[in-house]
Amino acid sequence: MTVRIAGAPISWGVCEVPGWGHQISVDRVLREMREAGLTATENGPDGFLPSDPQELARTLADHGLTSVGGFAPVLLHESGHDPVPGISGLLDGFVAAHADVIVLAAVSGRDGYDARPELTDDEWATLLRNLDRLAAASAERGIRAVLHPHVGTMIEQRDEVHRVLDGSSIPLCLDTGHLMIGGTDPAELARQASSRITHAHLKDVDAALAARVQAGDLTYTDAVQAGMYTPLGTGDVGIGGVVDTLLDAGYDGWFVLEQDTILADDPAADGGPVLDVKASVAYLRSVTDARVVTV
């Protein structure tokens, strides 16, 4: 069995949210990914990597990286809005870069991930219908769509995750951090819905900070700033058990290392987020040492 490990620009603080923090240059992020031993990456937010498909493919190749695909925040619950055309350009880039997955998040329509509205039953019906439409449109291009439960989006809490499982056919991205913060045990979901999980974002979490987000005492952004996400194996998720559960169930998708961070400025040349990424790569290798590992 091959374990496929990839990186993500958010581990370097590169994020689509306005005002998130200092954004490190493309060259540094991609160079440090290779230094960490990674050979594949998600593409990051719109505008981080080139939008032209051929230039995107060339940029990744110049750094010795391949594209897994990437994150796409999409508005799904408004009946007058069609989200399908909005992913067309992104799919063009993924196809050109030989990527295979688009990671959808059902955004609220507001900036950031600190607040969201409540949906009506009609809005839920629209959202679920659009998930299947986006999955079908992606499949036509040879790209697999997955739904990413995410704090501050319309699919955050445990009952919302199960409503997607029951009401649509789209596979899931198992994001261990966002699920835990939203009240879902990622290990339990990995056991119960392994056939629906085809992509994984691995985050470890400081449970005390996550509990403050759940209680409304701390915004998601402030918790990230405070260090809610930690290198794999140093938090409270039980990453090793989640990985073993997925692999034992026959999971053959990507494990994307994601420790969301917020930076105030450019890190020192010999430090910064890459140190946590290297620690996470080493940990993931250690828990899969009985298997063939490819990064």
Side-chain angles (χ1 to χ4, degrees), residues 199-217:
H199 196 61
H201 286 175
L202 297 184
K203 294 179 174 71
D204 219 337
V205 177
D206 180 320
L209 286 171
R212 292 184 63 191
V213 175
Q214 288 176 328
D217 296 334

Side-chain angles (χ1 to χ4, degrees), residues 8 10-11 20 42 71 103 148-151 173-181 186 200-206 220 224 228-240 242-243 255-261 280 283-284:
I10 187 63
S11 294
W20 181 259
E42 286 194 4
F71 184 72
V103 183
H148 181 343
H150 191 294
V151 173
C173 169
L174 183 93
D175 186 298
T176 55
H178 285 282
L179 287 167
M180 180 177 176
I181 298 164
H201 286 175
L202 297 184
K203 294 179 174 71
D204 219 337
V205 177
D206 180 320
Y220 178 76
V224 173
M228 178 168 60
Y229 294 124
T230 71
L232 299 187
T234 66
D236 300 301
V237 169
I239 292 291
V242 173
V243 170
F255 289 107
V256 180
L257 304 179
E258 275 202 340
Q259 291 77 44
D260 297 16
T261 189
S280 292
Y283 175 79
L284 190 53

Side-chain angles (χ1 to χ4, degrees), residues 97-244:
H98 305 290
D100 59 7
V101 63
I102 182 169
V103 183
L104 306 173
V107 295
S108 66
R110 304 173 181 177
D111 284 341
Y113 300 113
D114 292 336
R116 63 183 192 143
E118 293 290 330
L119 296 187
T120 66
D121 286 342
D122 285 345
E123 288 172 327
W124 263 105
T126 299
L127 183 152
L128 294 171
R129 183 168 58 252
N130 278 330
L131 281 175
D132 286 337
R133 292 180 63 239
L134 287 170
S138 300
E140 289 177 359
R141 305 294 307 280
I143 304 294
R144 173 171 38 88
V146 297
L147 185 278
H148 181 343
H150 191 294
V151 173
T153 71
M154 307 322 303
I155 314 297
E156 171 187 328
Q157 298 173 3
R158 186 178 186 277
D159 62 331
E160 295 160 352
V161 174
H162 285 273
R163 194 163 182 171
V164 168
L165 290 172
D166 293 339
S168 78
S169 60
I170 195 168
L172 293 183
C173 169
L174 183 93
D175 186 298
T176 55
H178 285 282
L179 287 167
M180 180 177 176
I181 298 164
T184 300
D185 180 342
E188 179 185 41
L189 187 64
R191 289 190 297 270
Q192 292 180 346
S194 60
S195 65
R196 292 286 293 276
I197 297 167
T198 64
H199 196 61
H201 286 175
L202 297 184
K203 294 179 174 71
D204 219 337
V205 177
D206 180 320
L209 286 171
R212 292 184 63 191
V213 175
Q214 288 176 328
D217 296 334
L218 197 65
T219 68
Y220 178 76
T221 303
D222 287 343
V224 173
Q225 181 78 63
M228 178 168 60
Y229 294 124
T230 71
L232 299 187
T234 66
D236 300 301
V237 169
I239 292 291
V242 173
V243 170
D244 283 341

Side-chain angles (χ1 to χ4, degrees), residues 7-15 22-35 41-52 55-65 263 266-267 274:
I10 187 63
S11 294
W12 279 260
V14 178
C15 184
H22 176 74
Q23 305 293 285
I24 298 182
S25 71
V26 171
D27 283 344
R28 178 168 183 178
V29 171
L30 299 186
R31 172 174 52 80
E32 290 188 347
M33 281 190 185
R34 292 296 286 121
E35 290 175 3
T41 182
E42 286 194 4
N43 289 11
D46 185 34
F48 177 64
L49 292 177
S51 58
D52 176 77
E55 188 180 354
L56 167 63
R58 186 165 52 251
T59 297
L60 291 170
D62 286 347
H63 287 85
L65 292 165
L263 301 177
D266 239 20
V274 68

